[in-house]
Amino acid sequence: MFGLEDKHVVISGAGGGIGRSLVSAFLAAGARVTACDRDASLLEALDGVVKFVFELTDAEETARAVATIVSEQGTPDVLVSNAGYTRAETMDAVDQQSWNQEVDINLTGSFNLIDPTLKAMIANGGGSIVMTSTVNALAHYGNPAYAAAKAGLVAYMRSIAVENGRDNIRANCICPGSVRTPAWDHRMEKDPSLLTKVVQHYPLGRLTTPADVANAAVFLASPLAGAITGVALPVDAGLTAGNLRFIRDVF
């Protein structure tokens, strides 16, 4: 039903928690998947995909990888720019090193992948780009450097949507809320009751799952979303709809 049979889908950060769900969802939709990550060991468990290992923060290496993917596998019909990273969770933890690292990975690294892929898509007649951003790009929920970088990604997405729509390019962002992936493990070690506290902020009473994000990506990438471009879509169990804790505490 998604119209993605035999379409070529490139996914970055494919070995992570969300990335593995993205791979599974696009394979289930009938797509041919090229799975990319900086760590070959993270891709080992993935079956039925073509695997590429490169470092997104190295612009030249990434451009070479994109050229090889296009040459060997064909121009992508869909790019899911999913790779991301954060550790500086509050303003007190942000310093020059953490700022540079998070901007380099989350914003500049995404550009390094998207830019050459976008050019190949334009030359091939069009395509769909889906970027994994965050609710932190829409309002502040912590992770200041990460939030700034991912907000920049939303702005970049809109630039592509507006200026390259004429090239049959669609671009959208998914903005997940808290997703229960291994990225939460270091927080859980400090406070095993953390998830119980966190879900109280979510109207649906649960965290977003990697599958929730992947399903949204499949929809946005597919012809079913053919008139949708320039959208930052929260996939957040209702977090950005309003302040549930405020209502409970005040009223």
Side-chain angles (χ1 to χ4, degrees):
M1 68 175 285
F2 289 104
L4 291 171
E5 292 83 2
D6 203 36
K7 298 297 184 182
H8 182 202
V9 179
V10 173
I11 302 170
S12 70
I18 293 174
R20 292 192 297 273
S21 285
L22 286 165
V23 169
S24 295
F26 277 100
L27 287 176
R32 297 184 296 113
V33 173
T34 297
C36 307
D37 211 296
R38 67 194 300 185
D39 186 345
S41 66
L42 294 176
L43 299 176
E44 289 177 358
L46 298 179
D47 296 322
V49 302
V50 175
K51 303 173 185 179
F52 276 80
V53 178
F54 55 92
E55 174 54 62
L56 284 176
T57 59
D58 185 326
E60 293 184 359
E61 180 182 359
T62 302
R64 288 194 298 270
V66 170
T68 303
I69 290 169
V70 170
S71 174
E72 295 181 357
Q73 305 300 321
T75 303
D77 300 289
V78 175
L79 171 63
V80 183
S81 180
N82 170 66
Y85 169 89
T86 184
R87 276 296 181 270
E89 294 176 338
T90 64
M91 284 294 292
D92 292 342
V94 176
D95 55 21
Q96 193 67 56
Q97 180 181 4
S98 64
W99 179 271
N100 290 344
Q101 184 177 40
E102 299 208 12
V103 171
D104 285 349
I105 292 173
N106 295 299
L107 182 57
T108 306
S110 297
F111 171 81
N112 291 342
L113 175 65
I114 293 168
D115 184 59
T117 307
L118 171 63
K119 291 173 181 173
M121 285 178 164
I122 292 171
N124 196 51
S128 175
I129 300 172
V130 180
M131 310 176 197
T132 304
S133 183
T134 172
V135 292
N136 300 52
L138 307 177
H140 190 60
Y141 301 100
N143 304 90
Y146 174 78
K150 290 291 194 177
L153 195 64
V154 171
Y156 178 47
M157 171 274 292
R158 288 175 176 146
S159 299
I160 294 172
V162 172
E163 297 193 25
N164 295 112
R166 64 187 178 186
D167 301 306
N168 195 31
I169 299 291
R170 292 190 302 109
N172 294 287
C173 279
I174 295 171
C175 297
S178 300
V179 182
R180 185 59 179 100
T181 68
W184 275 79
D185 291 348
H186 71 285
R187 301 185 183 106
M188 297 291 292
E189 290 172 3
K190 297 177 182 177
D191 182 0
S193 67
L194 180 60
L195 287 184
T196 301
K197 298 174 184 176
V198 169
V199 296
Q200 296 176 27
H201 295 270
Y202 288 84
L204 290 182
R206 68 173 180 87
L207 298 187
T208 302
T209 67
D212 292 326
V213 178
N215 290 338
V218 169
F219 168 69
L220 287 175
S222 77
L224 291 178
I228 300 175
T229 193
V231 167
L233 176 67
V235 181
D236 64 355
L239 180 65
T240 56
N243 191 328
L244 179 61
R245 283 292 299 273
F246 180 86
I247 293 170
R248 287 173 174 168
D249 293 345
V250 173
F251 300 110

